[in-house]
Amino acid sequence: MLGKIGIWTFALDALPASHVAEAAAEIEELGYDTLWFGEGFGRDTVSQAWMTLSATKHMTVAAGIANIALRDPIAMATAERALNEAFPGRYLLGLGGHRVTDESIQMDGYSIPSRGNAVRSMTEYLSAMDAIPMNAPSA
């Protein structure tokens, strides 16, 4: 799925959507097997993946990472399933970040939990994703 050589970039966030498609197609033409991108303060990971997958034919597109603090586990699970249905075997979801339920430790809507809380947060998020029933065709 990942191939031998890939490219990781945040640069796609700075491009207009039409240029993202052109860049993804060119990256594939140059022989890269995988295009990795992060999720920061640009486009959300699902939109970015859809744009890049639509512009390519064979290349794998990988979210490295999709931040679990930015979306509900139901939304992430259903988006991941839709991407894999539309582009079988070409989308890889990488998750990271953390979710916080104790508002007293948040500052400006963001906090850094202890390592134990981050692991627990990811475990709970993955369990919630796994619990979502599949009501769409499987890839």
Side-chain angles (χ1 to χ4, degrees):
M1 177 178 195
L2 294 177
K4 292 183 179 184
I5 187 164
I7 187 169
W8 193 98
T9 184
F10 265 120
L12 299 176
D13 282 343
L15 299 175
S18 62
H19 290 88
V20 170
E22 292 170 9
E26 184 174 346
I27 288 166
E28 183 176 55
E29 286 175 23
L30 290 171
Y32 290 96
D33 299 309
T34 306
L35 173 60
W36 292 83
F37 59 86
E39 181 175 46
F41 296 101
R43 291 183 188 91
D44 74 283
T45 190
V46 176
S47 300
Q48 193 80 290
W50 206 276
M51 282 191 283
T52 54
L53 285 162
S54 295
T56 57
K57 295 182 175 112
H58 307 288
M59 186 170 61
T60 297
V61 170
I65 55 106
N67 192 326
I68 67 171
L70 301 180
R71 69 192 50 79
D72 183 85
I74 295 170
M76 191 72 262
T78 56
E80 187 269 341
R81 291 172 187 169
L83 284 163
N84 277 303
E85 178 188 354
F87 307 97
R90 295 185 49 219
Y91 178 67
L92 178 63
L93 174 62
L95 295 171
H98 59 275
R99 296 172 74 81
V100 177
T101 56
D102 183 357
E103 292 186 35
S104 65
I105 60 171
Q106 290 188 18
M107 294 175 52
D108 296 327
Y110 189 81
S111 66
I112 301 173
S114 69
R115 185 173 180 86
N117 286 342
V119 171
R120 183 176 62 243
S121 183
M122 181 61 73
T123 301
E124 290 170 357
Y125 192 89
L126 292 171
S127 294
M129 283 182 68
D130 285 343
I132 314 265
M134 178 63 117
N135 293 326
S138 60

